[in-house]
Amino acid sequence: MKFPIYLCVLELFASILLAQEKQIDFNSEKNIKKFADYLFCDKDYLRAAEEYQKLNGYEGNDTIIFKTGLSYLFIGDYSTSIDNFSNISSLSPFYENSKLERMKAQFLMNDYFGMRSFYNNNFPEDDSLSDRANRLFTFSYLITEDRLPQKEKFLLPFNSIEKEKISSFYDWKNDPPYKSSALAGILSAIVPGSGKIYTGDISDGIFSFLVTGVFTFLAYDNFRAGHDTRAWIFTGLAAFFYGGNVYGSIAAAQIYNAKITFEFNKGLNVFLESNNYFVPVYEFCN
Amino acid sequence: MNFVTKIQHITFILVIPFFLLWAQDSFKEQFQLAKNFYAKENYFDAITELKRLLFFDNEEKYLFEANDLVGQCYKQGGKFSDAIRYFTLAEINAKYPERIYKEKIEIVRVNILRRTTQSAFRILNSLETDNRFKDKIDDINYWRGWAYIFSDDWENAAATFAKIDSAYQLQKLTEKVNNELYSVGFAKAISYIIPGAGQIYTGEYLSGFISLGWNVLWGYYTVKAFAADRIFDGVMIANFLFLRFYRGNLQNAENFAEEKNLEISNEALRYLQNEYDGLKP
């Protein structure tokens, strides 16, 4: 009987097939990309970006660069995100979107002047996304302290649904409902507690009025009755509460203004997030 | 062909597949790579490699082990919600009660660490009533004791550790802490009777005597005003001065007792973190 070579070859073939089931090249281009896409859709953006950057020819693949830029944008690494968007060629179908995303990144890193300058130099009117870019550009004026354009002009880039909300933001920005801390202080100096009532702290105002009034009266009454020691104690207390009432009214006005500004900024952020910063939503994960 | 040659051929045919199959299990290698990262405390890369393994593991052979290790990595990185997510995935994919128990306890430990102890108690109670884990009662009580520690309930922690023979050290420590803690209610109650007494009880002697002084002073002026028939003065001094300091004395007593208790608890937790050798959450 001869050595059954055919059997050996057959077995070798079967074993290789079986072994391949257990073998996978995790670091092949195809698998890295598949895994990176999975991470991107699983919103694990930092890992997704790192995987995309492992790909050979990464720099020549505009989809990958764009998704890397988006990944960095989502994790808040705006400058790396901008670097990626800037690398997208003007011939790429992602070019327009990358410019818009770059503007969003600049907006998010509070580089409003850089963003405006980029908009002015890179978005001609015939650009397909110039209307979206214009909205983000215009919206930035609600955040900075720059002079606002005329209302009609300001509202022009926005659609009818957005206009109502933007109009209220514009009015607020143009004439914020702040309370004057100087006026609050002066009012409380004349009538204790009135400055607090002016800033909306009515119960605090009434309390300040009562406490200062009562101690002043006690001081007066004790001086009148010849109880000098007690009278001086009450005078000190009245002066302390009077000073506190003036200082408290100034502070109350400042707190009121800070609260108003906070609410306004929160409103802007909610509006921007609900409108995705005027940037389109991509269908990479569907 | 002689007998020896035949044996050689048969051996050759049998050995080939072993070499091929054994040498080329890249999933096993991938898991080992992730474990190496974990051992080097490189949790970020460990998670990446484990996620990669899970993504390509179509046979779902590593669903339990990889999810468990991802959970451990997230736990080590302080990302407790993610850790619980992956421990839960590991639990879902656990095939034996022993593994289900392990993952549930991991979830309990993370809940203890992030102080969501109500969830930890709920899971421990369900484990206790599960017939599969009847022999784990000491272990369940051990983690319940820890959950009580992190709920700042040292009394129940001591009572729970007392049920376990091997937890003598923890029982002693929790008992000691429980005995050292100040009673917030008592501090307040004695301050109602003698202003400043609550502060003195918590060891804040200066604050206690100052509080007593203010209360005596304004109490004296209040009584004096009423005694001299200066009713308005009396009401005003009582309301704006005496009662202000009296209320302040009560709040102070409560705050001091709570602050001291926090210091005692933190000191005990520091000891457990740095000196205790047993299993910790």
Side-chain angles (χ1 to χ4, degrees):
Chain A
M1 188 183 154
K2 279 188 174 181
F3 176 65
I5 292 189
Y6 66 92
L7 190 65
C8 217
V9 170
L10 193 69
E11 190 179 358
L12 194 65
F13 184 66
S15 300
I16 288 169
L17 278 180
L18 270 172
Q20 274 179 342
E21 277 186 20
K22 288 191 158 194
Q23 189 191 25
I24 182 165
D25 183 1
F26 292 107
N27 294 311
S28 70
E29 294 282 304
K30 192 178 144 202
N31 283 340
I32 289 175
K33 177 158 183 320
K34 270 166 84 176
F35 180 52
D37 286 341
Y38 157 73
L39 290 170
F40 183 86
C41 293
D42 198 39
K43 298 183 177 174
D44 192 344
Y45 296 115
L46 178 57
R47 287 192 177 82
E50 289 196 348
E51 291 298 314
Y52 282 132
Q53 284 176 314
K54 277 186 196 171
L55 291 168
N56 281 332
Y58 152 79
E59 283 161 11
N61 187 329
D62 52 359
T63 313
I64 301 293
I65 300 172
F66 187 68
K67 284 170 93 173
T68 310
L70 284 180
S71 298
Y72 280 116
L73 184 68
F74 290 140
I75 57 172
D77 186 348
Y78 303 123
S79 46
T80 315
S81 159
I82 289 169
D83 290 344
N84 276 278
F85 291 131
S86 309
N87 284 337
I88 291 181
S89 144
S90 57
L91 302 170
S92 162
F94 288 105
Y95 180 62
E96 302 299 329
N97 294 82
S98 70
K99 286 195 296 180
L100 196 57
E101 292 293 345
R102 187 192 153 135
M103 273 183 74
K104 179 182 167 184
Q106 284 181 303
F107 187 97
L108 286 168
M109 62 197 291
N110 302 332
D111 179 14
Y112 305 110
F113 302 107
M115 184 201 77
R116 286 175 197 159
S117 150
F118 180 77
Y119 169 78
N120 287 328
N121 296 327
N122 292 278
F123 277 96
E125 273 186 24
D126 58 344
D127 196 298
S128 63
L129 293 174
S130 73
D131 61 325
R132 286 175 180 274
N134 191 9
R135 278 187 268 173
L136 192 59
F137 169 85
T138 309
F139 196 91
S140 71
Y141 282 91
L142 290 171
I143 291 170
T144 59
E145 296 305 317
D146 299 309
R147 235 180 68 141
L148 289 170
Q150 274 205 327
K151 192 170 180 180
E152 288 72 29
K153 197 181 161 200
F154 187 85
L155 293 176
L156 216 54
F158 300 98
N159 63 40
S160 52
I161 304 163
E162 292 161 352
K163 261 185 183 132
E164 192 184 341
K165 194 75 188 160
I166 298 286
S167 170
S168 69
F169 285 141
Y170 181 94
D171 292 340
W172 192 103
K173 185 76 181 176
N174 215 20
D175 184 20
Y178 286 147
K179 302 279 183 189
S180 159
S181 50
L183 181 60
I186 291 165
L187 281 172
S188 275
I190 298 164
V191 182
S194 59
K196 287 203 173 189
I197 291 170
Y198 160 69
T199 62
D201 297 333
I202 295 167
S203 58
D204 261 17
I206 293 169
F207 185 75
S208 287
F209 178 76
L210 284 176
V211 172
T212 314
V214 163
F215 282 124
T216 310
F217 172 77
L218 286 175
Y220 163 76
D221 196 41
N222 278 285
F223 275 126
R224 196 170 51 83
H227 304 303
D228 283 359
T229 313
R230 258 181 280 154
W232 278 113
I233 290 173
F234 287 125
T235 304
L237 284 168
F240 176 75
F241 278 103
Y242 178 79
N245 135 73
V246 174
Y247 175 78
S249 297
I250 294 167
Q254 287 169 345
I255 291 167
Y256 177 87
N257 293 344
K259 197 174 149 195
I260 288 281
T261 308
F262 175 80
E263 292 294 333
F264 175 70
N265 289 334
K266 197 173 146 195
L268 292 181
N269 283 333
V270 169
F271 179 83
L272 275 173
E273 275 167 26
S274 63
N275 285 282
N276 199 30
Y277 293 80
F278 308 112
V279 164
V281 178
Y282 308 106
E283 305 289 327
F284 288 124
C285 297
N286 293 337
Chain B
M1 195 184 282
N2 63 27
F3 179 73
V4 176
T5 320
K6 270 185 186 171
I7 291 290
Q8 280 175 343
H9 289 164
I10 289 165
T11 312
F12 182 69
I13 288 164
L14 287 174
V15 161
I16 290 170
F18 275 104
F19 274 108
L20 281 166
L21 290 175
W22 190 38
Q24 294 179 347
D25 188 348
S26 39
F27 289 96
K28 201 171 170 185
E29 282 170 16
Q30 178 69 13
F31 188 53
Q32 193 53 48
L33 174 71
K35 285 210 289 195
N36 290 344
F37 280 130
Y38 180 79
K40 288 176 191 164
E41 299 183 0
N42 184 348
Y43 302 119
F44 182 86
D45 286 341
I47 292 171
T48 307
E49 298 313 324
L50 288 164
K51 284 190 172 182
R52 196 191 308 277
L53 173 65
L54 284 165
F55 178 68
F56 289 107
D57 181 19
N58 293 330
E59 287 182 14
E60 302 188 342
K61 266 179 72 180
Y62 288 90
L63 274 182
F64 172 77
E65 284 164 301
N67 277 315
D68 174 62
L69 200 52
V70 175
Q72 298 290 355
C73 292
Y74 275 127
K75 183 183 168 189
Q76 297 296 335
K79 298 212 162 232
F80 295 137
S81 298
D82 289 319
I84 286 183
R85 182 180 156 210
Y86 278 91
F87 285 137
T88 308
L89 285 171
E91 186 203 327
I92 291 166
N93 292 291
K95 286 177 182 148
Y96 318 109
E98 199 62 31
R99 286 185 165 185
I100 293 172
Y101 179 79
K102 178 188 177 296
E103 294 312 309
K104 279 193 181 285
I105 290 295
E106 290 295 354
I107 294 167
V108 165
R109 291 167 76 173
V110 175
N111 273 308
I112 292 172
L113 279 178
R114 66 174 190 177
R115 293 196 184 237
T116 47
T117 46
Q118 286 310 315
S119 301
F121 285 128
R122 192 171 36 76
I123 298 166
L124 290 166
N125 290 342
S126 75
L127 284 173
E128 198 174 27
T129 53
D130 193 326
N131 285 332
R132 291 175 297 176
F133 310 124
K134 270 199 174 337
D135 59 328
K136 306 275 189 196
I137 206 73
D138 276 0
D139 195 46
I140 291 168
N141 275 329
Y142 182 80
W143 294 116
R144 186 177 280 136
W146 274 99
Y148 278 125
I149 289 178
F150 277 75
S151 318
D152 226 16
D153 185 350
W154 297 85
E155 190 178 356
N156 272 322
T160 309
F161 287 128
K163 295 176 189 169
I164 316 165
D165 295 336
S166 56
Y168 181 75
Q169 192 189 349
L170 284 173
Q171 187 211 335
K172 283 284 142 202
L173 176 84
T174 46
E175 256 175 21
K176 181 173 163 274
V177 172
N178 189 44
N179 292 336
E180 282 176 4
L181 289 175
Y182 292 100
S183 162
V184 178
F186 179 71
K188 253 181 117 171
I190 56 171
S191 281
Y192 270 111
I193 301 160
I194 306 168
Q199 289 94 312
I200 292 167
Y201 160 67
T202 59
E204 294 291 331
Y205 299 107
L206 181 66
S207 172
F209 286 115
I210 289 173
S211 188
L212 180 66
W214 279 118
N215 278 280
V216 167
L217 176 72
W218 297 119
Y220 166 76
Y221 272 122
T222 306
V223 171
K224 207 176 163 198
F226 280 119
D229 281 341
R230 287 180 289 106
I231 305 300
F232 182 76
D233 283 17
V235 169
M236 290 302 136
I237 296 168
N239 189 38
F240 289 112
L241 294 165
F242 175 69
L243 286 178
R244 179 248 171 270
F245 281 99
Y246 187 71
R247 199 174 63 245
N249 137 73
L250 297 175
Q251 284 171 349
N252 230 3
E254 188 178 9
N255 291 344
F256 278 131
E258 281 172 355
E259 276 170 26
K260 295 274 172 173
N261 285 347
L262 192 64
E263 274 172 33
I264 294 165
S265 301
N266 285 344
E267 185 59 37
L269 289 173
R270 260 194 297 278
Y271 172 81
L272 286 169
Q273 187 182 2
N274 300 320
E275 309 291 334
Y276 179 65
D277 290 330
L279 269 178
K280 295 172 230 181

